[in-house]
Amino acid sequence: MLKKDIEPLRFGYEENLFRVLRAQLGPAISAMGNDKARLLLNARRESLLGDAVRVTADLLPQIHEAYQACLDIFGGDMSGDLFIQQSTEYNANVFGHGKTFDVLIHSALLKDFTLDEVSFVFGHELGHVVFEHSRFPVHDILSKAENISTDTADMMFRWARASEISADRVGLLCCGQLTPAVTALFKTASGLSGIDVERILRSFRMQYEELEKQIRERNDRFTWIRSHPMMPIRFKALELAALDIVALRQGSRGFSWKGFRTIDQQIASILEALDAL
Ligand SMILES: [Zn+2]
């Protein structure tokens, strides 16, 4: 597959929040310096080599192949290993510095997710790398920097949530179809597998509508709604972008950046409405 220009896939709302945060925090604390990032990357790799298992083509051929296929989308200029660790949680994470990184995936995920769903997860993690999300470590900044207002802190969490939508788009680019992306989200949110995909789609759609209605009708400032309404929104963002991203992957003419920005704006407005609470 040809190298794709990934940057325009970044969620516009994420970009806007990042720009505002940079201006508020100043460049000195808004992004991690190169030396610190390299140190962290090395320390993490050391602990992964010590405590996790590195996935090679020899050990897990199919998984390794799926991982490589995702990497190939970026044209071969990214290098990073995949590690697996025993855990019952459906989780994965990554730390990247420039084009170097390591991905860690939990064993439960490899056991219970299909290969296409795992590809979505790989793509999602690699999305965090290409968009350089590790350069802006929210928890690290909040724990160390003083004089950060609650508004700014709040905006950092909004940015972190928005960055998940950018990463999901790369996930979709890697797995190449909406269904495994959605079932991967569903398994992560519910912990359940073996449910018919049509039921999953209906459930997500209804929950999204319910959430939208809730936001429209709200008349007070409950803080609980702020905490984690992301799954239905991530689903909606994927559903809206799916045709375009699949067309982009196939290099077809069906893709237009103009249409894509409209979709972007639609998702941004629902998040903005939530964030304004
Ligand atoms: Zn993520």
Side-chain angles (χ1 to χ4, degrees), residues 92 124-125 128 163-164 167-168 234:
H124 177 100
E125 297 306 323
H128 284 309
S163 71
E164 293 303 313
D168 279 348
R234 284 173 67 183

Side-chain angles (χ1 to χ4, degrees), residues 17 64 95 101 120 171 205 235 243:
L17 286 171
H64 189 262
F95 184 85
F101 59 89
F120 171 75
R205 279 180 194 131
F235 158 75
L243 282 178

Side-chain angles (χ1 to χ4, degrees), residues 58-228:
D58 185 46
L59 185 70
L60 292 166
Q62 277 190 315
I63 297 292
H64 189 262
E65 198 189 325
Y67 178 68
Q68 281 303 321
C70 278
L71 275 180
D72 287 349
I73 288 181
F74 308 104
D77 59 347
M78 303 240 300
S79 71
D81 278 327
L82 172 66
F83 288 86
I84 174 168
Q85 190 169 51
Q86 194 285 122
S87 169
T88 52
E89 250 177 64
Y90 293 154
N91 222 335
N93 61 67
V94 71
F95 184 85
H97 172 51
K99 294 183 171 20
T100 316
F101 59 89
D102 288 298
V103 174
L104 174 68
I105 190 159
H106 289 187
S107 56
L109 212 145
L110 282 192
K111 281 184 190 161
D112 298 347
F113 282 39
T114 66
L115 209 52
D116 285 337
E117 289 165 347
V118 170
S119 282
F120 171 75
V121 176
F122 288 157
H124 177 100
E125 297 306 323
L126 295 176
H128 284 309
V129 178
V130 281
F131 294 132
E132 298 193 302
H133 291 151
S134 304
R135 292 187 68 215
F136 191 67
V138 172
H139 291 279
D140 193 64
I141 293 172
L142 286 177
S143 67
K144 286 180 193 141
E146 286 159 23
N147 306 324
I148 290 184
S149 70
T150 43
D151 274 359
T152 304
D154 204 53
M155 197 179 286
M156 285 189 202
F157 288 117
R158 273 188 245 164
W159 170 79
R161 287 195 292 264
S163 71
E164 293 303 313
I165 289 181
S166 301
D168 279 348
R169 290 174 176 178
V170 182
L172 188 54
L173 194 64
C174 282
C175 73
Q177 346 154 34
L178 178 64
T179 303
V182 168
T183 49
L185 273 193
F186 182 83
K187 282 182 181 176
T188 308
S190 70
L192 302 173
S193 46
I195 296 180
D196 180 71
V197 65
E198 290 304 322
R199 288 176 199 270
I200 290 175
L201 287 169
R202 278 200 298 276
S203 146
F204 264 138
R205 279 180 194 131
M206 276 163 63
Q207 202 160 319
Y208 178 81
E209 278 163 26
E210 198 60 36
L211 181 65
E212 231 190 354
K213 186 163 152 255
Q214 180 86 21
I215 294 165
R216 265 201 313 272
E217 290 170 2
R218 67 167 185 244
N219 51 14
D220 43 24
R221 290 173 165 253
F222 285 126
T223 48
W224 56 263
I225 201 168
R226 199 187 281 232
S227 59
H228 257 105

